């Protein structure tokens, strides 16, 4: 492929923040290397770049690649591995007995699922359940992601308390003698060594993989599995520049435990240790108060919302519209548990749109529209992943992360009124199977639904 080339579409969605003004009819983008150099009418760009290769048949929707800002890279869901989903606190014990599959397989399946449904950037948020194998598994997974062509943000995760259950020492004392031997090493462990091992792993991954195309993030996995000393060290290492990602207030049990553990609301405690800031993202953040939301908004923090997972795990519904109104950056996460159990990023975009249209019965309050859902699933996710201002829109100077969507089913089964807004139609009607082509950083990762 020539260095400078063109992607074209019957419609081009450039920047969802501009709403209807973001759609260019019979448009195109010009790509040089890994960046977009121009956006405009296809005929104009073709004249300006004679002889350039053109990708797209002129009948498709050209749009920014979607972003999964919260994935665990398991490749297969719990039900595929023989475990039912339940309330989180029950599921955590069941998940301990799930098959531990090779990291190469998990990462490969995850990348495949994402690329085929229009996702060009994903954040793999790791867990520390693998113990001593964690380092090797992290390197193996990252290599597969990079080979797949998908853009990657990767965060090794850790809990330095409550690894087995909340209030780990109290829980341990309730166990019968025959279970204490099994549980002891999961409760009584060298926390200082765990801390040193974690930051050594983070430093190793960052030195090897952090560059203009890939990000390595910090992740104390659970706000309720975090000691004060560890929390402060995370904030110090990040220094306001490295992205931090953690599960926070996913269940009412966590909310109650946070109050008991710290004697104050979890978000207030996190703020006191330096972990409510623009570079911090909270996974789920369902059971928050209005005061929590306003605090996150003032600090410019982010939340990843996972509507399908929240339904599947019976977590509840994140107050997305209240958060957006307060200035919280809300992004989309698939969390390995989408509504059709297939990691379809387009379907999760639709779930986002549907679940959060009913924030109030006030007739003067507009509902979440399709463009706002797109913003959550593109630009806002790029910020969470450490690519703010670089990915999530089709604009000159930004990374060439774009997808082409076949519109045959959207427009022609059986018909679509030509007055219909194409972005609204996409959100209402499209599926991951409508994705034809995916480009990441100017490289074709999928064409005609075949991964390259």
């Amino acid at each position: 492929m020539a260095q400078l080339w063109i992607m074209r579409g019957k419609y081009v969605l450039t920047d969802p923040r501009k709403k209807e003004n973001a759609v260019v009819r019979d448009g195109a983008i010009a790509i040089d290397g890994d960046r977009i150099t121009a956006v405009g009418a296809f005929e104009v760009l073709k004249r300006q770049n004679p002889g350039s290769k053109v990708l797209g048949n002129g009948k498709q929707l050209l749009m920014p690649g979607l972003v999964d800002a919260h994935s665990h890279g398991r490749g297969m869901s719990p039900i595929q591995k023989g475990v039912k989903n339940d309330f989180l606190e029950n599921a955590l014990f069941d998940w301990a007995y799930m098959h531990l599959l090779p990291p190469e397989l998990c990462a490969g399946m995850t990348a495949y699922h994402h690329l085929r449904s229009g996702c060009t950037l994903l954040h793999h948020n790791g867990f520390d359940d693998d113990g001593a194998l964690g380092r090797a598994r992290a390197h193996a997974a990252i290599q597969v992601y990079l080979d797949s062509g998908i853009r990657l943000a990767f965060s090794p995760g850790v809990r330095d308390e409550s690894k087995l259950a909340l209030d780990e020492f109290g829980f341990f004392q309730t166990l019968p003698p025959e279970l204490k031997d099994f549980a002891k090493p999961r409760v009584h462990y060298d926390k200082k060594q765990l801390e040193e091992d974690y930051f050594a792993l983070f430093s190793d991954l960052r030195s090897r993989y952090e560059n203009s195309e890939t990000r390595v993030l910090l992740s104390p996995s659970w706000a309720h599995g975090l000691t004060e000393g560890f929390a402060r060290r995370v904030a110090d290492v990040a220094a306001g520049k490295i992205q931090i990602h953690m599960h926070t207030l996913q269940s009412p049990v966590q909310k109650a435990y946070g109050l008991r553990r710290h004697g104050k609301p979890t978000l207030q405690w996190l703020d006191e240790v330096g972990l409510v800031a623009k570079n911090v993202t909270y996974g789920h953040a369902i059971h928050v108060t209005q005061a929590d939301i306003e605090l996150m908004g003032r600090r410019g923090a982010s939340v990843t919302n996972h509507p399908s997972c929240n339904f599947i795990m019976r977590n509840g519904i994140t107050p997305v519209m209240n958060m957006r109104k307060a200035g919280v950056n809300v992004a989309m996460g698939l969390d390995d548990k989408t509504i059709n159990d297939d990691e379809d990023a387009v379907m999760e975009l639709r779930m986002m749109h549907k679940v959060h249209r009913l924030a109030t019965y006030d007739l003067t309050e507009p509902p979440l529209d399709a463009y706002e859902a797109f913003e959550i699933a593109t630009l806002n996710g790029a910020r969470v992943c450490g690519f703010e201002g670089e990915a999530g829109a089709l604009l000159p100077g930004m990374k060439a992360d774009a997808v082409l969507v076949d519109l045959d089913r959207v427009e022609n089964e059986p018909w679509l009124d030509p007055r219909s807004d194409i972005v609204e139609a996409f959100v209402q009607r499209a599926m991951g199977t409508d994705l034809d082509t995916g480009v990441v950083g100017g490289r074709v990762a999928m064409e005609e639904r075949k991964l390259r």
Side-chain angles (χ1 to χ4, degrees):
M1 183 171 288
Q3 185 180 25
L4 195 151
W5 57 286
I6 294 171
M7 291 184 75
R8 68 177 299 196
K10 181 178 179 180
Y11 310 92
V12 180
L13 174 62
T14 60
D15 181 345
R17 294 169 298 189
K18 298 176 182 177
K19 297 196 182 282
E20 292 84 354
N21 294 326
V23 178
V24 179
R25 185 71 183 259
D26 297 320
I29 61 174
I31 298 171
D32 191 353
D34 68 339
R35 300 277 173 170
I36 298 169
T37 59
V39 181
F42 169 66
E43 291 299 333
V44 172
L45 293 185
K46 186 179 178 182
R47 283 197 306 269
Q48 292 174 346
N49 302 282
S52 293
K53 180 171 180 176
V54 176
L55 188 60
N57 59 21
K59 301 177 182 179
Q60 299 156 313
L61 168 64
L62 173 58
M63 68 183 206
L66 301 177
V67 178
D68 179 359
H70 183 110
S71 169
H72 300 302
R74 294 190 177 100
M76 290 198 293
S77 68
I79 194 68
Q80 289 178 287
K81 292 182 278 187
V83 177
K84 292 181 180 179
N85 291 307
D86 195 4
F87 284 125
L88 178 66
E89 285 71 26
N90 294 337
L92 287 171
F93 290 107
D94 294 336
W95 291 347
Y97 293 93
M98 286 195 304
H99 302 289
L100 183 62
L101 300 174
E104 297 88 348
L105 173 63
C106 295
M109 288 296 294
T110 300
Y112 168 72
H113 291 153
H114 282 69
L115 285 168
R116 73 175 183 175
S117 65
C119 187
T120 55
L121 165 60
L122 75 86
H123 167 216
H124 176 122
N125 178 223
F127 278 160
D128 58 350
D129 296 332
D130 300 336
L133 296 174
R135 181 181 296 268
R137 290 180 67 85
H139 283 291
I142 290 172
Q143 290 293 346
V144 171
Y145 284 128
L146 297 180
D147 289 345
S148 78
I150 200 165
R151 190 175 302 285
L152 177 67
F154 189 95
S155 59
V158 70
R159 293 162 287 172
D160 75 326
E161 71 174 20
S162 295
K163 290 169 70 70
L164 180 63
L166 300 179
D167 187 14
E168 55 192 348
F169 298 115
F171 176 77
F172 180 76
Q173 293 305 318
T174 69
L175 296 176
E178 62 269 22
L179 289 181
K180 282 190 173 179
D181 287 342
F182 168 81
K184 188 173 182 179
R186 293 163 175 79
V187 174
H188 296 276
Y189 46 90
D190 188 338
K191 294 190 176 186
K192 189 60 182 174
Q193 187 60 53
L194 181 149
E195 179 178 331
E196 295 307 319
D197 289 346
Y198 176 77
F199 285 102
L201 173 60
F202 169 74
S203 179
D204 180 27
L205 296 178
R206 190 168 169 82
S207 66
R208 293 198 191 194
Y209 304 112
E210 173 84 14
N211 56 41
S212 62
E213 303 304 313
T214 303
R215 299 286 187 267
V216 177
L217 286 54
L218 285 159
S219 180
S221 286
W222 310 84
H224 56 281
L226 180 63
T227 62
E228 180 174 341
F230 198 105
R232 292 188 182 278
R233 185 169 178 182
V234 168
D236 288 344
V237 170
K241 298 177 181 178
I242 298 171
Q243 292 292 317
I244 301 168
H245 197 99
M246 71 179 86
H247 295 76
T248 307
L249 298 173
Q250 184 173 351
S251 74
V253 173
Q254 293 174 7
K255 183 174 185 176
Y257 176 73
L259 284 167
R260 191 177 79 184
R261 174 73 173 87
H262 305 295
K264 61 192 69 173
T266 297
L267 262 295
Q268 181 181 331
W269 178 75
L270 288 172
D271 193 37
E272 291 172 1
V273 297
L275 288 179
V276 183
K278 185 177 179 181
N279 64 316
V280 180
T281 299
Y282 310 107
H284 299 276
I286 299 165
H287 297 279
V288 291
T289 64
Q290 187 60 34
D292 294 336
I293 293 171
E294 291 170 2
L295 172 62
M296 290 188 285
R298 289 196 304 274
R299 298 283 190 265
S302 298
V303 166
T304 52
N305 179 39
H306 330 118
S308 292
C309 174
N310 293 342
F311 282 151
I312 290 167
M313 303 301 299
R314 296 193 284 168
N315 288 325
I317 298 176
T318 302
V320 163
M321 296 302 279
N322 285 352
M323 289 177 173
R324 284 175 59 82
K325 193 178 295 185
V328 178
N329 179 67
V330 180
M332 180 181 79
L334 277 61
D335 206 0
D336 307 309
K337 299 174 215 57
T338 50
I339 201 68
N340 291 335
D341 208 37
D342 57 1
E343 291 192 300
D344 184 334
V346 176
M347 184 62 73
E348 195 66 11
L349 170 64
R350 178 175 297 119
M351 289 290 292
M352 183 81 62
H353 181 243
K354 295 294 181 287
V355 171
H356 301 291
R357 284 175 61 77
L358 185 59
T360 176
Y361 286 103
D362 184 345
L363 297 180
T364 65
E365 283 285 321
L368 185 77
D369 67 31
Y371 291 93
E372 291 175 297
F374 253 103
E375 179 191 351
I376 289 170
T378 54
L379 288 155
N380 294 4
R383 171 178 159 182
V384 165
C385 295
F387 290 96
E388 183 175 15
E390 295 186 83
L394 303 183
L395 299 172
M398 298 190 78
K399 292 182 180 296
D401 295 355
V403 296
L404 285 167
V405 183
D406 284 336
L407 295 175
D408 286 346
R409 198 182 56 78
V410 174
E411 290 191 310
N412 301 324
E413 291 190 8
W415 182 67
L416 181 71
D417 190 312
R419 297 171 298 179
S420 297
D421 184 299
I422 191 59
V423 175
E424 289 281 353
F426 174 88
V427 172
Q428 296 281 356
R429 295 176 53 76
M431 294 166 39
T433 52
D434 296 317
L435 270 293
D436 176 86
T437 296
V439 171
V440 184
R443 175 188 172 274
V444 179
M446 180 180 75
E447 187 172 6
E448 297 181 347
R449 295 203 50 78
K450 295 179 181 178
L451 269 61
R452 300 284 288 270

